[in-house]
Amino acid sequence: MTKDKEPMVRSFYFVCLITLIVGTTIQFSAGSKFAVNKSNKGLTHVPKDLPPQTIDLDLSQNYISKLHLSDISFLSGLRVLRLSHNRLRYLNISIFKFNQDLEYLDLSHNQLQKISCHAITSLKHLDLSFNDFSALPICEEFGNMTQLNFLGLSAKHLQPLDLLPIAHLHISGILLELEGYYVKEHETESLQILNTKTLHLVFHPNNFFSVQTNISVSNLGCLQLSNVKLRDGNCHILITFLSELTRGPNLLNITLNNVETTWKCLVRVLQFLWPKPVEFLNIYNLTVVENIGKEDFTYSETSLKGLKVEHVTNRVFLFSQTVLYTVLAEMNIMMLTISDTPFIHMLCPQATSTFKFLNFTQNVFTDSIFQECSTLVRLETLILQKNKLKDLFKVGLMTKDMPSLKMLDVSGNSLEYDGRDRNCTWAESIGVLNLSSNILTDAVFRCLPPRLKVLDLHSNRITSIPENVLGLEALQELNVASNSLAHLPECDSLSSLSVLVTDYNSISNPSAHFFQSCQKIRSISAGNNPFQCTCELREFIQSIGQVSSEVVEGWPDSYKCDYPDSHKGTLLKDFHVSPLSCNIVLLIVTIGVTGLVLAVTVTALCIYFDLPWYLRMVCQWTQTRHRARNIPLHELQRTLQFHAFISYSEHDSAWVKNELVPCLEKEDIRICLHERNFVPGKSIVENIINCIEKSYKSIFVLSPNFVQSEWCHYELYFAHHNLFHEGSDNLILILLDPIPQNSIPSKYHKLKALMAQRTYLEWPKERSKHGLFWANIRAAFNVKLTLITENKDVKT
């Protein structure tokens, strides 16, 4: 594809060069952070508040009439100064003597009549064109500007040695504006220009061409003439003018811009240039007037390789199309461009043509173009952009007799393919096909050249690419952007695909299988699609993450979530979702395993801590409390009846009855014992709860025997529960015999906790220590207790 474009690039060489010289500035200045733009601000003088560090200053399109040294002398780093389209009448160039870095100075389109010279040795671009100079404003000092690449001048008269002071400079481009140029009839002036590669001459746009000046240029490679107004009567003046300029062997490019001429004069100019060494001729903005008649044209040997005619206005409404088309169709050149014209057709050359490149962009050609044309056998590139083509089948037929055709561009038409059982016929040599910006549908894949390498289908109406595309095994590049694709294509039938463009489609859930299917992909662009950020997209994102960033164009900025709204605008690389929520089987297994583990854990804990026993105890305690609330008020008119309730094992009853109880009752401490204070007829649990609630304190005699007694453990449980229910601290623990921690059953964890957290009284075996033990017991009961029995107050 690159090789096919080389002739086009060369044909634009001159225009690009002139554009770079005239229309651009130094590259760094455009993006400089020290650029100041004061253009079109209605200024009458240079502002005084300019930053001293200014590098690029634009003062164009204002009303500035004078420049002073103080205006810009403080801008020591100034490199670019634009002062075009102001009202300057006089300029002393010495005011720039302190701007030692100034490289670009534009003073065009002012009213300058005179300048005082001074050499600015750093200047590379100086434009003094479109001013009111009578003679060329060249001073001897200009000869010191050795870095000068471009010079723009204007004058009303020319003298042969006007440019002598700068003859030794190697200036790449000279713009000579001659809108005000005037000499008397039959008078001739001359100008010698040395050492310039490009020359641009601008004439008056409304005057007929009448410049009878001999301009000779050494080593001229590119010539541009702007504003050339011709009729049959003055056509010879232009030809005479060109005679001297085209004398040298180096003039390869000529551009005529803004040309108004008759058809006869145009043919004469072409015939004059045909045997010259010129290789590329460009005519822009051509207006044909008066009439179009048959003109003889001799297609002799020529150096011309390319003719470009762009933007044609035809003011002749009645003429023979054949007369016009024949001159162009029979040219023995390699490249012909006729674009942006009202041409409705182009003739097939009568003999085998030398054309290798034809560009008929933006005309009104129809499907009849080049049908049954067998003389374009050398044609390699055919461009028919923006015409009136409608039937893709006929476009294929057009190419069948073009055996050398490699590149075909029919974009920007109204092409359709109905998909009927018609075998499309194409030139087998076509490797590059541009069908973009048409109205083609999925059926287009059944009507394509067999050896395509590059296919552009962007901006059509394609919804899917068939899985079994036939005949595209050689396709390497495919552009289907701006269609309605819902999925990325598979590469099973596109085995050579390496570049894929699918931007701006309707792809919401691209398959992660794409990268496995398309092993040769080295560039994919799939951004700006309405991605649905759900579980299905997770694998595609992971696949992109495993591919080089150089492969995925626009990643990650062009890849954003469109759905759901909670993720809209989120970059795909920032979208994360739990694998558990995306895998139903895994989710069910996880819930099942978690539930099973929880059930096993709960069961084990219940067994280990004897949970059923505790539940039963809580239930009985709750029932007892509930019955107590239902007892009549007069039966509740009682308070604590005992100082202490004693809980012990029957195996320790001897010590309790012989030692503990007598000692306490001797101190008037009223004791509650189960064998004498339990109420017959009530359950054991209810009696335990009642005794604990009627006692100020609860004494527990701890021993290995206590641990083995389940009823003792009940009493301890209810006493501990009552302790926290009442908000008191009335448990007294007496350790009668040591209890190893490992001997306490696991279900008695409250006993373990109490022994670890509370202070207990240990019964000493030595009799000498018994006194201290009983003193501690009595201290715990240092309280007055009111007992209410049979509704009478009794002081204890």
Side-chain angles (χ1 to χ4, degrees), residues 582-594:
C582 291
N583 193 323
I584 300 299
V585 176
L586 180 61
L587 181 61
I588 294 174
V589 171
T590 302
I591 293 175
V593 170
T594 303

Side-chain angles (χ1 to χ4, degrees), residues 392-410:
L392 183 62
F393 180 80
K394 291 184 178 180
V395 170
L397 285 178
M398 174 190 68
T399 69
K400 70 182 181 63
D401 293 320
M402 301 176 181
S404 302
L405 189 62
K406 298 178 181 179
M407 187 271 187
L408 175 63
D409 186 347
V410 287

Side-chain angles (χ1 to χ4, degrees), residues 225-489:
L225 306 181
S226 294
N227 303 328
V228 180
K229 192 172 182 180
L230 301 170
R231 293 296 186 268
D232 293 344
N234 69 331
C235 190
H236 69 283
I237 299 178
L238 175 64
I239 293 175
T240 303
F241 182 80
L242 291 173
S243 297
E244 182 65 29
L245 290 171
T246 58
R247 192 180 301 277
N250 300 319
L251 182 58
L252 303 180
N253 295 271
I254 293 181
T255 297
L256 304 177
N257 188 30
N258 294 326
V259 180
E260 181 181 307
T261 181
T262 63
W263 172 247
K264 181 178 181 179
C265 182
L266 179 61
V267 172
R268 287 181 62 187
V269 172
L270 291 175
Q271 188 71 79
F272 167 76
L273 294 174
W274 208 254
K276 299 296 182 179
V278 177
E279 293 185 355
F280 297 97
L281 174 60
N282 309 294
I283 303 175
Y284 298 107
N285 302 303
L286 171 64
T287 302
V288 180
V289 298
E290 293 187 359
N291 61 77
I292 297 177
K294 188 177 185 310
E295 300 293 336
D296 294 328
F297 195 94
T298 303
Y299 300 101
S300 58
E301 288 292 328
T302 181
S303 299
L304 194 65
K305 296 179 179 179
L307 170 64
K308 177 193 289 187
V309 182
E310 188 172 291
H311 189 68
V312 177
T313 301
N314 187 9
R315 294 183 183 171
V316 182
F317 302 105
L318 295 176
F319 65 95
S320 171
Q321 300 282 344
T322 304
V323 169
L324 178 62
Y325 300 148
T326 300
V327 174
L328 298 173
E330 302 298 332
M331 287 184 171
N332 55 333
I333 59 177
M334 291 190 300
M335 302 170 55
L336 175 63
T337 297
I338 308 292
S339 64
D340 192 13
T341 74
F343 288 7
I344 62 174
H345 192 61
M346 180 53 62
L347 295 178
C348 178
Q350 295 181 5
T352 300
S353 176
T354 58
F355 288 134
K356 289 187 177 181
F357 177 95
L358 290 177
N359 182 356
F360 296 115
T361 297
Q362 202 167 343
N363 289 283
V364 284
F365 291 176
T366 63
D367 295 328
S368 62
I369 186 70
F370 295 140
Q371 294 295 330
E372 303 296 331
C373 182
S374 60
T375 56
L376 295 172
V377 293
R378 300 180 185 177
L379 187 62
E380 297 178 357
T381 300
L382 177 57
I383 301 175
L384 296 171
Q385 291 183 16
K386 299 180 181 178
N387 279 276
K388 301 296 181 181
L389 306 180
K390 295 184 178 180
D391 192 344
L392 183 62
F393 180 80
K394 291 184 178 180
V395 170
L397 285 178
M398 174 190 68
T399 69
K400 70 182 181 63
D401 293 320
M402 301 176 181
S404 302
L405 189 62
K406 298 178 181 179
M407 187 271 187
L408 175 63
D409 186 347
V410 287
S411 60
N413 284 276
S414 301
L415 287 174
E416 295 181 275
Y417 178 65
D418 54 19
R420 297 175 185 171
D421 295 331
R422 296 188 295 172
N423 293 326
C424 292
T425 304
W426 294 88
E428 293 187 358
S429 57
I430 297 177
V432 179
L433 178 59
N434 191 339
L435 295 172
S436 62
S437 301
N438 283 286
I439 50 178
L440 296 166
T441 61
D442 303 357
V444 68
F445 290 97
R446 298 201 296 272
C447 183
L448 292 173
R451 298 179 183 176
L452 270 183
K453 293 183 179 180
V454 179
L455 176 59
D456 191 343
L457 285 166
H458 80 265
S459 300
N460 277 283
R461 300 179 181 179
I462 300 171
T463 59
S464 65
I465 299 176
E467 293 184 3
N468 298 319
V469 180
L470 299 178
L472 293 181
E473 291 81 4
L475 189 65
Q476 298 175 5
E477 299 182 20
L478 175 61
N479 186 342
V480 285
S482 301
N483 279 277
S484 301
L485 290 177
H487 303 283
L488 288 176

Side-chain angles (χ1 to χ4, degrees), residues 68 232 306 381 387 479 506 511 546 549 577 596 600 631 693 714:
H68 301 91
D232 293 344
T381 300
N387 279 276
N479 186 342
S506 301
S511 172
Q546 298 172 359
S549 59
V577 61
L596 180 61
V600 171
I631 298 176
E693 288 184 341
Y714 286 170

Side-chain angles (χ1 to χ4, degrees), residues 628-669:
R629 283 195 296 270
N630 293 333
I631 298 176
L633 183 62
H634 65 278
E635 296 185 16
L636 293 174
Q637 301 265 327
R638 55 188 176 175
T639 57
L640 300 175
Q641 298 180 7
F642 305 99
H643 286 86
F645 167 74
I646 301 178
S647 175
Y648 60 93
S649 170
E650 286 298 325
H651 297 286
D652 300 324
S653 60
W655 183 85
V656 172
K657 294 177 180 179
N658 296 330
E659 294 285 350
L660 181 60
V661 172
C663 182
L664 294 177
E665 290 184 338
K666 184 175 64 176
E667 299 293 333
D668 293 331
I669 296 176

Side-chain angles (χ1 to χ4, degrees), residues 4 11 70 98 216 223 247 255 277 310 315 329 382 596 680 685 714 744 755 764:
D4 294 330
S11 69
S70 59
F98 294 110
S216 60
L223 173 66
R247 192 180 301 277
T255 297
E310 188 172 291
R315 294 183 183 171
L382 177 57
L596 180 61
V685 173
Y714 286 170
I744 303 176
M755 292 184 67

